[in-house]
Amino acid sequence: MRTRPLKVALLGCGVVGSEVARIMTTHADDLAARIGAPVELTGVAVRRPSKVREGIDPDLVTTDATALVKRGDIDVVVEVIGGIEPARSLITTAFEHGASVVSANKALLAQDGAALHAAAEEHGRDLYYEAAVAGAIPLIRPLRESLAGDKINRVMGIVNGTTNYILDKMDSTGAGYQEALDEATALGYAEADPTADVEGFDAAAKAAILAGIAFHTRVRLDDVYREGMNEVTSADFASAKAMGCTIKLLAICERAADGGSVTARVHPAMIPLSHPLASVRGAYNAVFVESDAAGQLMFYGPGAGGAPTASAVLGDLVAVCRNKLNGATGPGDSAYTQLPVSSMGEVVTRYHISLDVADKPGVLAQVATVFAEHGVSIDTVRQQGRQDGGGEASLVVVTHRASDASLNGTVEALRSLDTVRGVASIMRVEGE
């Protein structure tokens, strides 16, 4: 074993960063044995240096992150500060001054992953980011290494624990959206401002990363269709249960049937209770992968939290340090296919549409005619009169597979019918 330690700089010492530092200290001997050399934490960049950080030598703490990554003797920089800047500048500066980088920064990688990979390649450095998607779940490395010889056709998963907790609570207790969100906030699953989670921004960033790796093409955050879950109601869950389904906020990345394009999207969807993702409860994450040779695979585990995310960071750190010792770099960016990313209007899936209609003869025939005129085939229909009377009924239509564009045209035409009082909800049905 080499006795001279590999030097590590840590950018950020919050929930994840403090766990990374703790594990590096408490598992130092094991890490050294696995790597082939000791690793030494030689600097920790923070915004508030006066804060007491248990187990971290105060002499290592600095507010000058740029000076830390420019030192020239740093082997690996671990970036867990998040956001776009200064993270982007610090990472590229680290490459320029001889360090490889381990990051958990999903937002930055989804926006500028191609540029960061190019900078790493230019300087002969590694860029690893297992912790950027699904926390502790090994997913990035299996996609870009274990399945590198296979053709991946679809990646579909629950990649945000906060939203899964909320939807699971609505499903299991009958709670409304706001009630479930309030409970998630009280338990610490949701941030004080939950926008990034419940409106799908967090999941969309992860979908961009997954799609790029799975399909060997460039997919940016702006390419991902995003729809939040704040309009999901207890009535939607009742409809889902009537179909033998539940509702999840899904990140879905697909290769077109002809192989000529890809799509990436995030939205709530009904999935059959028989699908493996339907049983993912609480704040857990799971990702379902479909490929030509391996078939169907599912990766499951805690998708967030200090210790689980730090586990993924440390796994990358070990891999990068081994590469350093061997004078090599691991797999880099693989975007040779350069496939176009199709718009959401071209996506084909099933739909569940709930309509408020007049309770009188001929309504179903009118509705069916509109669907037929727009080329949308109906799978099942369920009509039920309102118990409170009033001359209105609920009409639920489940389609066969149709494009998003044709479904939108159908809905607009339905709204123009005088027998249709309103469109109560529209939800996609996935996981057939």
Side-chain angles (χ1 to χ4, degrees), residues 130 137-148 152 213 299:
E130 185 67 67
I137 304 173
L139 184 59
I140 301 298
R141 198 169 297 132
L143 286 177
R144 73 176 184 177
E145 296 182 32
S146 303
L147 296 173
I152 297 173
I213 295 171
F299 301 82

Side-chain angles (χ1 to χ4, degrees), residues 111-172:
Q111 178 172 308
D112 288 324
L116 293 176
H117 273 292
E121 183 176 0
E122 178 186 355
H123 297 285
R125 313 299 173 204
D126 272 325
L127 174 62
Y128 277 48
Y129 44 90
E130 185 67 67
V133 179
I137 304 173
L139 184 59
I140 301 298
R141 198 169 297 132
L143 286 177
R144 73 176 184 177
E145 296 182 32
S146 303
L147 296 173
D150 206 344
K151 178 185 177 184
I152 297 173
N153 298 309
R154 196 174 202 229
V155 179
M156 180 172 77
I158 299 162
V159 295
N160 183 278
T162 299
T163 55
N164 199 57
Y165 179 88
I166 293 169
L167 292 173
D168 183 39
K169 183 62 62 173
M170 293 176 70
D171 185 27
S172 60

Side-chain angles (χ1 to χ4, degrees), residues 161-388:
T162 299
T163 55
N164 199 57
Y165 179 88
I166 293 169
L167 292 173
D168 183 39
K169 183 62 62 173
M170 293 176 70
D171 185 27
S172 60
T173 69
Y177 169 78
Q178 190 60 51
E179 180 184 355
L181 173 58
D182 290 344
E183 181 172 333
T185 304
L187 292 173
Y189 291 123
E191 301 287 346
D193 180 0
T195 301
D197 293 326
V198 300
E199 293 191 6
F201 289 101
D202 175 84
K206 296 169 182 177
I209 295 170
L210 290 174
I213 295 171
F215 307 133
H216 304 280
T217 197
R218 302 271 190 234
V219 181
R220 289 170 48 90
L221 181 58
D222 292 345
D223 296 322
V224 181
Y225 172 83
R226 178 192 54 79
E227 186 180 312
M229 51 168 272
N230 54 329
E231 293 186 5
V232 176
T233 67
S234 54
D236 292 325
F237 274 100
S239 293
K241 287 181 179 180
M243 290 178 58
C245 293
T246 188
I247 299 172
K248 299 292 186 182
L249 184 75
L250 298 178
I252 304 172
C253 311
E254 290 181 306
R255 187 192 300 269
D258 63 3
S261 64
V262 300
T263 58
R265 50 196 166 102
V266 169
H267 53 72
M270 294 182 180
I271 57 172
L273 294 176
S274 58
H275 194 282
L277 291 177
S279 61
V280 178
R281 312 304 296 269
Y284 274 71
N285 285 191
V287 177
F288 199 72
V289 178
E290 300 177 29
S291 68
D292 275 1
Q296 298 178 335
L297 308 169
M298 191 168 91
F299 301 82
Y300 170 85
T309 306
S311 171
V313 171
L314 267 295
D316 278 350
L317 179 63
V318 169
V320 170
C321 286
R322 287 171 174 168
N323 291 342
K324 278 277 185 179
L325 290 181
N326 293 326
T329 56
D333 193 20
S334 175
Y336 67 89
T337 62
Q338 298 182 358
L339 296 173
V341 182
S342 298
S343 68
M344 188 61 191
E346 299 173 72
V347 170
V348 175
T349 188
R350 297 174 67 205
Y351 289 87
H352 175 282
I353 305 102
S354 180
L355 304 172
D356 295 327
V357 300
D359 190 4
K360 63 181 184 180
V363 173
L364 180 55
Q366 286 185 322
V367 169
T369 298
V370 169
F371 276 88
E373 289 174 346
H374 288 80
V376 179
S377 176
I378 294 175
D379 182 17
T380 61
V381 177
R382 186 176 74 253
Q383 184 170 348
Q384 183 176 355
R386 298 283 177 79
Q387 293 181 352
D388 58 0

Side-chain angles (χ1 to χ4, degrees), residues 1 23-37 39 318 322:
M1 177 186 293
I23 295 172
M24 285 185 64
T25 302
T26 58
H27 295 185
D29 291 342
D30 286 338
L31 290 172
R34 294 166 191 170
I35 292 168
V39 288
V318 169
R322 287 171 174 168

